Amino acid sequence: MSQKIRVLVAKPGLDGHDRGALVVAQALRDEGMEVVYTGLRQTPAQIANAAIQEDVDCIGLSCLSGAHNELFPEVVRLLREQGADDILVIGGGVIPQEDIPYLKTQGIAEVFTPGTPTTVTAEYIRAHVKRKKTSFVQPPNKIAHIGIAVSSIDAALPFYTEQLGLTLLGRETVESEQVQIAFLAIGETRIELLEPLGPTSPIAKFMEKRGEGIHHIALDVDDIEERLVQLKANGVAVLNDTPKIGAHQAQIAFLHPKAAHGVLYELCQYPETKGENENE
Ligand code: ZN
């Protein structure tokens, strides 16, 4: 829920009074929403187009001229025509009670008559907007580490420390993964050597098939839970539905290699500050 709800406040038709619409627009801003106001005398087509262009979650239509029974349904129809029927459409203004059932059959989700507290309208919007699938993806901060499967850390370490001159930061056993890990600093990122603790370790299984070599790439992220929800919603196969605790108390989750053209990616969120500390 980090993104603000975006609302288009629009005045279809010919009436020339927008005080009410402006009050609602300001009230929704005060409620923490981003509000775009179209101005007076908009056609349904202009409103539908503006809503799509502005990528809003909700349209609030206000009409005082009495033409709401034509104008409101036309906006909904045009949204549907353009595949944007996930946008919540609500109405307000001078709308006789007897017209409200008809408007609802036409896809106007709710109608707020004069005197409705704007907090009620805001609450309704919050409860009923559909969250967008993925309009915006924050890239990972960096490569947290590259995981390399080895049969023996002791045998592999000299290459990294003596031939590449890298610094060994530490070693750690992660029982849940049946693996021992050695961390080497390389600039802002790390190389992790992974040695299986026993034949049931995922690293042992990997090496049975592929031998020693690059096992996975870990991406440093700040929003692992949200990201997993989003990836799953978008049909990306994951190996962990929810984060688990890995080395350094980081929250981690693996994506299925079939989702990433044969690469096993790990999402990695470190506790406390973003990015990982260099002084371990
Ligand atoms: Zn890893």
Side-chain angles (χ1 to χ4, degrees):
M1 301 300 270
S2 50
Q3 276 168 272
K4 285 188 174 181
I5 293 174
R6 290 173 61 77
V7 182
L8 185 80
V9 172
K11 297 264 321 164
L14 297 177
D15 76 73
H17 304 279
D18 61 358
R19 225 181 73 83
L22 289 170
V23 167
V24 170
Q26 188 53 49
L28 295 179
R29 283 190 193 109
D30 293 343
E31 292 277 341
M33 301 181 189
E34 278 175 20
V35 180
V36 182
Y37 176 53
T38 59
L40 288 166
R41 299 193 184 88
Q42 299 289 301
T43 65
Q46 285 171 318
I47 293 169
N49 290 340
I52 292 165
Q53 248 165 38
E54 295 284 348
D55 194 26
V56 298
D57 306 290
C58 172
I59 303 176
L61 297 169
S62 166
C63 184
L64 306 176
S65 69
H68 47 268
N69 281 347
E70 293 79 53
L71 296 169
F72 288 8
E74 181 64 3
V75 172
V76 174
R77 194 187 66 74
L78 289 165
L79 289 174
R80 283 192 183 142
E81 205 175 81
Q82 296 177 73
D85 46 357
D86 57 332
I87 298 176
L88 178 74
V89 180
I90 58 175
V94 181
I95 315 280
Q97 281 297 333
E98 60 266 29
D99 289 351
I100 294 175
Y102 168 75
L103 290 172
K104 287 189 174 175
T105 64
Q106 297 302 301
I108 316 304
E110 190 54 270
V111 175
F112 299 94
T113 48
T116 308
T118 47
T119 48
V120 171
T121 309
E123 207 40 61
Y124 181 87
I125 292 171
R126 264 196 284 273
H128 291 86
V129 293
K130 298 195 180 75
R131 302 310 295 176
K132 291 270 152 56
K133 280 187 200 106
T134 325
S135 46
F136 176 71
V137 179
Q138 184 71 29
N141 302 315
K142 63 176 181 178
I143 290 177
H145 58 263
I146 296 172
I148 297 173
V150 296
S151 345
S152 157
I153 285 177
D154 288 332
L157 262 184
F159 168 77
Y160 289 95
T161 54
E162 289 164 29
Q163 305 308 318
L164 293 185
L166 300 180
T167 305
L168 176 65
L169 295 172
R171 290 168 81 143
E172 189 172 332
T173 297
V174 180
E175 292 290 348
S176 62
E177 296 294 304
Q178 283 288 292
V179 71
Q180 192 191 150
I181 307 173
F183 313 100
L184 297 129
I186 179 160
E188 281 219 305
T189 180
R190 298 194 304 204
I191 285 175
E192 295 197 353
L193 303 179
L194 306 154
E195 175 187 329
L197 289 177
T200 58
S201 165
I203 298 298
K205 287 177 189 151
F206 171 87
M207 285 198 299
E208 262 169 42
K209 275 191 245 164
R210 317 248 302 245
E212 290 186 314
I214 294 178
H215 177 259
H216 68 271
I217 295 176
L219 306 173
D220 182 304
V221 300
D222 297 326
D223 49 2
I224 189 165
E225 283 188 38
E226 278 180 326
R227 208 175 269 268
L228 275 174
V229 169
Q230 195 174 77
L231 287 167
K232 285 188 289 180
N234 291 349
V236 174
V238 299
L239 295 177
N240 308 110
D241 276 324
T242 51
K244 54 182 181 175
I245 299 298
H248 295 92
Q249 293 304 303
Q251 295 188 76
I252 63 166
F254 287 93
L255 311 186
H256 198 292
K258 77 181 180 193
H261 304 265
V263 179
L264 176 60
Y265 279 105
E266 174 186 359
L267 303 179
C268 206
Q269 181 173 350
Y270 288 88
E272 294 165 30
T273 52
K274 82 182 214 179
E276 72 198 79
N277 37 11
E278 310 295 329
N279 51 347
E280 35 225 325

